[in-house]
Amino acid sequence: MMNAKPAGPPDGGWGWVVAAATFVVNALSYGLLRSLGLALPDLADHFDRTAQDTAWVSALALAVQQAASSGWALVFAPAVGTLSRYFSRRRVFAVGLALTGNGASSLLLAPALQLLLHTFGWRGALLLLGAITLHLTPCGALLRPLALPGDSPVPPQGPLAALGLGLFTRRSFLVFALGTALVGGGYFVPYVHLAPHALDQGLRGYGAALVVAVAAVADAGARMVCGWLADQGWVPLTRLLAVFGGLTGLGLLAVGLVPVVGTEQGWGGSLLATAGAYGLSAGGFAPLVFGVLPGLVGIEGVVQATGLVMMLMSLGGLLGPPLSGFLRDETGDFTTSFLVCGSLVLSGSFIYMGLPGVLPCCHPASSPATPPPKTGELLPIPQVALLSPGNAHSTLDTTC
């Protein structure tokens, strides 16, 4: 006897197991990558290479992870996509909770990696990190598929349909794609060069690890808070996406300007503060990137859309860290690098202004229609009650 499809996402149940698996996946992928920058100076010394050359280590890891559907991508994209299908009303909170694995592992791995580097050298440290990463295997076994109403009864036919490239024919997803590609050019630079930036400013290994840990703690907390805020429906998700993207860009600019506006005696505290501010904004941005997808492409296309988003961010992630390393080699520090990557994130956030619901546009509203199964979910738009001039108790519904 076949099980009937549920009426919709269960908003719990096995979904919390999927959320836990996604937490570990995120911790052992992006969280590990964020701490890996501590090993780059050792790699540069051993191979007698420049900062630009060693930056390609993490940049290629990002590209292979996301664009080439290899390594971490084989678990991260399916994990986040499957998690989105298990939740509806609490979707962004569940995604944000799962993505706190990034911050939690950075908090633990940054000092642990520094200890491993001192004890076993960079070769032994990377071997041990590889052994830890093998824990991704059981996480994949927990991703139980979920059939939902509106799913196509037959698998996609042809490579274009299988990859979801038809999603680019939707204007809203095309705008989102362009903005996300630009954001990716700057978003991953701190993953690679925040620790070397702190080392360049005179901090020792554990001091640089503290800078990474502060950013990680702020990042983790913001992901949960922003996820809860987004699920309340007070502000359209696309508007929150543009706002937090802009704040992330400003945070990166602040990290780059700290050595310029600070003093030799007080720059350390300022760098910790700006790293924390960057972590708060970047953490708030992360769950929104995946949280808006069901509203743009529909729940049936969210797994394919997640893979495409990762591919788009990898295009920037492939070039951003090497560009940052090149600028460091040319200028002698990472100030220009963070200013450039912050500008890229701000540019992408500006493009997000073209998404539906970002800009307020008040007009008389009709009753919201239920979209067809394959046109995507309605993005949450707050209903504002306005007093009618003729009657203090009457209201006029508008959408803003």
Side-chain angles (χ1 to χ4, degrees), residues 18-383:
V18 177
T22 308
F23 177 93
V24 177
V25 167
N26 187 242
L28 296 180
S29 54
Y30 287 100
L32 188 151
L33 189 62
R34 171 174 282 178
S35 304
L36 200 58
L38 292 168
L40 293 186
D42 288 345
L43 291 173
D45 290 341
H46 180 82
F47 292 103
D48 192 24
R49 310 299 289 183
T50 64
Q52 179 188 2
D53 293 335
T54 54
W56 281 101
V57 174
S58 294
L60 289 173
L62 279 168
V64 172
Q65 169 189 349
Q66 300 180 125
S69 297
S70 180
W72 288 327
L74 292 176
V75 286
F76 185 81
V80 176
T82 302
L83 179 62
S84 296
R85 291 174 58 83
Y86 269 90
F87 289 87
S88 178
R89 182 173 54 88
R90 295 180 288 187
R91 177 181 294 132
V92 186
F93 174 74
V95 172
L97 183 63
L99 294 185
T100 57
N102 184 327
S105 66
S106 297
L107 177 62
L108 298 175
L109 285 176
L113 177 57
Q114 190 61 48
L115 178 62
L116 292 176
L117 289 170
H118 282 167
T119 306
F120 302 104
W122 66 268
R123 294 181 187 273
L126 293 183
L127 286 173
L128 289 171
L129 289 180
I132 294 173
T133 307
L134 285 175
H135 290 83
L136 290 171
T137 303
C139 294
L142 298 175
L143 303 182
R144 180 184 299 171
L146 178 67
L148 294 173
D151 289 347
S152 175
V154 295
Q157 302 296 319
L160 294 181
L163 294 174
L165 298 182
L167 296 174
F168 287 108
T169 61
R170 306 186 184 188
R171 178 188 173 277
S172 58
F173 186 77
L174 188 60
V175 171
F176 176 79
L178 179 58
T180 301
L182 281 174
V183 169
Y187 189 85
F188 294 110
V189 168
Y191 281 58
V192 181
H193 284 148
L194 181 58
H197 175 51
L199 292 170
D200 271 1
Q201 301 305 316
L203 286 180
R204 298 193 177 185
Y206 288 103
L210 178 61
V211 173
V212 175
V214 167
V217 170
D219 186 296
R223 293 184 184 216
M224 289 189 293
V225 173
C226 187
W228 174 85
L229 173 65
D231 282 334
Q232 304 311 303
W234 297 329
V235 183
L237 294 182
T238 49
R239 188 177 303 172
L240 286 174
L241 179 71
V243 168
F244 277 95
L247 291 175
T248 302
L250 293 175
L252 290 172
L253 294 179
V255 171
L257 288 173
V258 161
V260 177
V261 302
T263 63
E264 289 188 17
Q265 293 78 17
W267 75 266
S270 299
L271 182 57
L272 287 173
T274 52
Y278 152 74
L280 287 173
S281 55
F285 175 81
L288 294 169
V289 172
F290 301 104
V292 302
L293 287 178
L296 296 177
V297 304
I299 194 65
E300 79 286 347
V302 71
V303 177
Q304 292 173 317
T306 300
L308 290 175
V309 167
M310 295 178 64
M311 180 189 72
L312 292 167
M313 296 195 77
S314 76
L315 296 177
L318 176 63
L319 300 177
L323 174 62
S324 174
F326 168 77
L327 293 173
R328 192 270 181 196
D329 293 335
E330 294 296 316
T331 63
D333 58 42
F334 285 102
T335 298
T336 304
S337 299
F338 279 94
L339 294 180
V340 170
C341 72
S343 300
L344 287 173
V345 175
L346 284 174
S347 299
S349 302
F350 180 78
I351 292 178
Y352 286 149
M353 302 288 283
L355 292 172
V358 175
L359 298 175
C361 181
C362 296
H363 56 82
S366 58
S367 299
T370 301
K374 294 189 178 182
T375 60
E377 299 179 356
L378 288 174
L379 292 169
I381 302 177
Q383 297 294 316

